[in-house]
Amino acid sequence: MLTKRPRGTSDILPGEVEKWQFIEKTMQDICREYNFKEIRTPIFEHTELFVRGVGEDTDVVDKEMYTFMDRGERSITLRPEGTAPVVRAYLENQMHTGPQPVKLYYTGPMFRYDRPQAGRYRQFHQLGVEVFGSQHPGVDAEVMAMAMNFFHRLGLKKMDLHINSVGCPRCRPRIRETLQNFFRPRLDELCPNCRGRFERNPLRIIDCKNDTCREVGKDAPTTLDCLCSECRKHFNEVCDYLQLLNVPYNVDNKLVRGLDYYTHTAFEIMAPDIGAQSSVGGGGRYNGLVEACGGPSLPGIGYALGIERIILAMEKQGVQVSSPPGPDVFVAVLDPQVKTKAFEILFGLRAKGIAVDQDYQNRSLKAQMKYASKTGARYTLFVGGDELQRGSAILREMATGNQEEVPLEKATEHIKQRLGE
Ligand code: HAM
């Protein structure tokens, strides 16, 4: 073998891929019900989009981006997340000039140069939604309800929704000052990263995973203590809507998201039983991002769910996805002279929507039968010289071994009828 796949990536094989298809299909169904339309943006963007959109001070931009110069000397980055690209596409394609809100969803690979471990990869996949152009607190509740509804539809019962408000530019100076006052006397106990964050973005200290920083920050004032009256009102209304929709939630006043664009509502959805990387999804409002990306001042809110972590949660919570069905029919040839005719029959059946396969390795009849049952075929159609002369072939049901001679001109109808039984 020439080389192995890069660290932190995976091959999704048959047997596993059905879980992905089930997850993606469930998301498509939910999005249709909530009236979200799909958008597909490039896998790579100009680096500047993420630096300005996600924020220079975040781990994602600072340490985790796959950035390179292309042959035209442009700095290009493999997308580490989907929100900034969707904002760019929303603006670039003038979607902000039409009726609002605009409700979009996307799915696809994202790239972060992080230390791989269970539930954390360098290429991972997200399902995401974004809503532009509405401040309405009902929209915040709707997107959270939608995500919880999606998990429920997958069969995941143990999922916890944590919500917080991280304030707006009006309450940020107060949040910043209150946190700086709290951390200042214990600054030298913080990790070097957090000491850097103290001036630039003290809110991020609350989110640090370092044990000492956590201990120091245990009794830190929270964003909820410092909200302006408008943010508080918005947050209370979001909670009211969630109650109205019967969506259980926990207010987690320590919840600070790892990306800088959030304002007002921030939330995460945890699967309690999948280990250290328990956050299966997260999102929130970003009322300043459209403007930061060069557009008008328009609000936005969204979330993204990690497919790999959804699969871990499904495995932990015993959600089964049925394995792929084999072909409906396996065409076996009884003698080599009828091979061409068998090929014709096979293509004739496929053209009528029947799933058919055959042997391409010149196997003996016995080996063809063994292979047919390995493929999981429901029926085998034996094509032989004698039967062909009578214009027919033998159809065998694999599960029972029952056989019948079927006229070839009626074979399609006959097989379809049997398959429907
Ligand atoms: P995020 O919290 O960075 O948010 O990522 C969302 C989800 O992607 C996580 O909860 C996790 O399931 C998955 N994820 C993130 N990093 C990895 C990784 N290295 N390996 C496996 N899964 C991972 C965002 O990306 C925002 N764009 C979400 C958003 C949309 N906010 C507003 N709109």
Side-chain angles (χ1 to χ4, degrees):
M1 192 174 53
L2 194 59
T3 175
K4 290 187 167 179
R5 61 174 189 264
R7 204 161 117 76
T9 66
S10 19
D11 300 312
I12 306 158
L13 304 180
E16 182 70 11
V17 83
E18 291 72 27
K19 293 179 191 162
W20 290 71
Q21 291 166 345
F22 170 58
I23 291 168
E24 287 160 3
K25 172 75 175 49
T26 307
M27 190 64 177
Q28 283 165 12
D29 292 347
I30 297 255
C31 285
R32 203 191 57 75
E33 288 163 29
Y34 282 75
N35 194 29
F36 281 72
K37 300 281 190 301
E38 186 178 357
I39 182 164
R40 300 185 187 198
T41 64
I43 301 282
F44 59 85
E45 297 275 356
H46 292 293
T47 302
E48 190 196 354
L49 174 69
F50 300 110
V51 173
R52 285 218 280 151
V54 176
E56 254 166 307
D57 268 347
T58 59
D59 284 352
V60 168
V61 170
D62 190 29
K63 304 191 195 128
E64 298 173 1
M65 293 208 300
Y66 278 88
T67 297
F68 58 94
M69 295 303 280
D70 74 4
R71 286 166 196 266
E73 298 292 309
R74 299 170 200 93
S75 179
I76 293 292
T77 293
L78 301 187
R79 62 179 183 196
E81 62 101 51
T83 308
V86 173
V87 170
R88 183 212 35 77
Y90 168 75
L91 289 172
E92 192 167 342
N93 297 286
Q94 309 297 326
M95 283 186 263
H96 62 290
T97 58
Q100 307 294 309
V102 171
K103 298 160 83 174
L104 302 168
Y105 80 96
Y106 52 91
T107 178
M110 308 288 158
F111 306 85
R112 295 184 192 175
Y113 191 83
D114 206 342
R115 203 165 39 80
Q117 61 181 88
R120 197 205 278 157
Y121 311 95
R122 290 182 176 166
Q123 175 177 322
F124 59 98
H125 298 75
Q126 286 186 343
L127 299 165
V129 312
E130 314 293 350
V131 183
F132 297 103
S134 175
Q135 309 256 26
H136 197 296
V139 175
D140 305 40
E142 176 174 294
V143 295
M144 289 187 261
M146 177 191 190
M148 296 311 279
N149 191 199
F150 166 74
F151 287 126
H152 196 76
R153 207 68 80 82
L154 290 181
L156 288 168
K157 302 217 166 64
K158 281 186 275 165
M159 301 299 277
D160 300 327
L161 171 64
H162 297 262
I163 70 169
N164 193 16
S165 173
V166 294
C168 69
R170 206 164 335 134
C171 29
R172 279 291 160 80
R174 186 157 160 228
I175 295 176
R176 192 186 154 83
E177 195 191 330
T178 313
L179 286 171
Q180 282 178 332
N181 288 345
F182 176 84
F183 284 112
R184 193 168 288 111
R186 304 185 69 178
L187 202 52
D188 23 318
E189 291 172 59
L190 298 177
C191 74
N193 253 347
C194 283
R195 263 177 269 151
R197 287 165 176 160
F198 178 81
E199 277 305 328
R200 291 196 310 269
N201 190 355
L203 195 55
R204 308 255 27 245
I205 303 176
I206 314 261
D207 193 40
C208 184
K209 303 290 175 281
N210 178 297
D211 286 343
T212 323
C213 298
R214 280 191 168 197
E215 184 54 34
V216 175
K218 206 171 56 180
D219 300 318
T222 68
T223 50
L224 288 184
D225 300 328
C226 312
L227 294 185
C228 67
S229 57
E230 216 169 284
C231 282
R232 168 142 307 279
K233 180 167 172 280
H234 184 86
F235 187 64
N236 289 341
E237 285 174 354
V238 172
C239 294
D240 289 346
Y241 273 109
L242 285 173
Q243 280 158 28
L244 183 78
L245 298 174
N246 278 325
V247 178
Y249 63 91
N250 309 301
V251 173
D252 176 354
N253 58 16
K254 285 267 185 307
L255 191 151
V256 178
R257 305 264 305 130
L259 313 168
D260 271 354
Y261 45 63
Y262 293 109
T263 61
H264 306 83
T265 313
F267 61 96
E268 276 188 18
I269 302 163
M270 320 288 239
D273 41 14
I274 61 166
Q277 306 302 314
S278 61
S279 171
V280 174
R285 265 201 178 273
Y286 43 83
N287 287 356
L289 182 59
V290 174
E291 198 172 358
C293 290
S297 169
L298 280 170
I301 179 166
Y303 63 79
L305 315 174
I307 301 187
E308 287 82 355
R309 293 188 194 172
I310 294 174
I311 290 175
L312 281 178
M314 285 167 67
E315 282 161 4
K316 277 280 180 245
Q317 297 187 25
V319 176
Q320 305 281 342
V321 175
S322 49
S323 47
D328 299 321
V329 177
F330 187 91
V331 173
V333 288
L334 294 171
D335 64 87
Q337 281 94 311
V338 300
K339 259 193 186 150
T340 325
K341 183 66 191 166
F343 210 59
E344 249 177 61
I345 294 173
L346 170 116
F347 271 81
L349 292 173
R350 279 184 184 159
K352 294 285 183 325
I354 300 173
V356 198
D357 210 349
Q358 67 168 353
D359 161 57
Y360 292 96
Q361 311 297 109
N362 292 325
R363 287 179 170 89
S364 67
L365 181 61
K366 197 167 156 213
Q368 286 183 62
M369 287 315 297
K370 216 167 144 192
Y371 177 56
S373 65
K374 261 223 170 104
T375 65
R378 281 179 65 188
Y379 289 88
T380 297
L381 188 72
F382 292 96
V383 181
D386 295 348
E387 291 80 4
L388 273 185
Q389 282 202 333
R390 295 198 292 273
S392 62
I394 308 282
L395 187 69
R396 175 192 288 181
E397 187 178 25
M398 300 295 274
T400 58
N402 292 341
Q403 292 196 170
E404 56 190 327
E405 190 161 338
V406 183
L408 281 175
E409 62 199 29
K410 295 210 179 108
T412 306
E413 279 161 52
H414 191 87
I415 291 169
K416 281 200 164 170
Q417 192 189 342
R418 284 268 180 274
L419 288 169
E421 277 166 9

